[in-house]
Amino acid sequence: EMPRDWAGVVPDIELPSAVVSLEGIEWRDRPAFNRVFVSGGPVGGKLGQVTLAGSAGELAAPMVVDPLLTDDLALRQRGRSILGDTGRQAHLRLRLPALPEVGLIEPGKFVRYVDGVSVRQGLVRSVEIAASHAQAWQTIGVETHE
């Protein structure tokens, strides 16, 4: 799924603010590109463009040249990767106890964080574990897109 479609993904886990401590938010404002040209270079490479569905494609990202892009699927995936990292993003650091009911929240899982009326849904990109003799905690990094 493209990040702009994450709101429609059923989350793997929902985290209410009652059990989560928001450690921080890092805001990232990236250009709102909606088209990119990708090329595989002069030897066996392909040339293509990827445009976000439903957009006019008028805001092109800088062209990407990579000698490994020799297949249409590779071109499309590389273009999606570039276009997925655009627009306004919030990277959250959420700390919560390592509870048996929740388990370890691994990178690649979708989470929904509910804090009052604020609801953010995103992809877990990192996890850190801290433990003492009494309790274990996990801090997850979650990438969300506006």
Side-chain angles (χ1 to χ4, degrees), residues 104-107 124-129 137-141:
L104 180 65
I105 303 173
E106 298 176 356
V124 176
R125 293 292 190 184
S126 65
V127 63
E128 299 170 22
I129 304 295
W137 294 86
Q138 59 184 317
T139 302
I140 59 173

Side-chain angles (χ1 to χ4, degrees), residues 8 17 19-20 29 36 46-47 54 61 66 83 85 87 125 127-128 134:
S17 62
V19 297
V20 176
D29 288 309
V36 63
K46 296 196 136 206
L47 175 65
D66 184 328
L83 296 178
D85 191 25
R125 293 292 190 184
V127 63
E128 299 170 22

Side-chain angles (χ1 to χ4, degrees), residues 27-104:
W27 291 98
R28 296 181 186 173
D29 288 309
R30 306 257 197 238
F33 298 128
N34 54 17
R35 179 171 62 165
V36 63
F37 291 91
V38 288
S39 171
V43 180
K46 296 196 136 206
L47 175 65
Q49 69 172 322
V50 178
T51 304
L52 284 177
S55 75
E58 75 282 5
L59 299 170
M63 183 174 186
V64 172
V65 178
D66 184 328
L68 297 176
L69 299 176
T70 59
D71 182 78
D72 290 336
L73 181 59
L75 290 172
R76 189 170 31 259
Q77 287 304 107
R78 182 65 183 270
R80 287 172 51 95
S81 171
I82 292 163
L83 296 178
D85 191 25
T86 60
R88 187 160 171 81
Q89 304 172 20
H91 291 246
L92 312 175
R93 287 186 45 85
L94 304 174
R95 185 172 189 260
L96 64 149
L99 301 170
E101 302 84 32
V102 175
L104 180 65

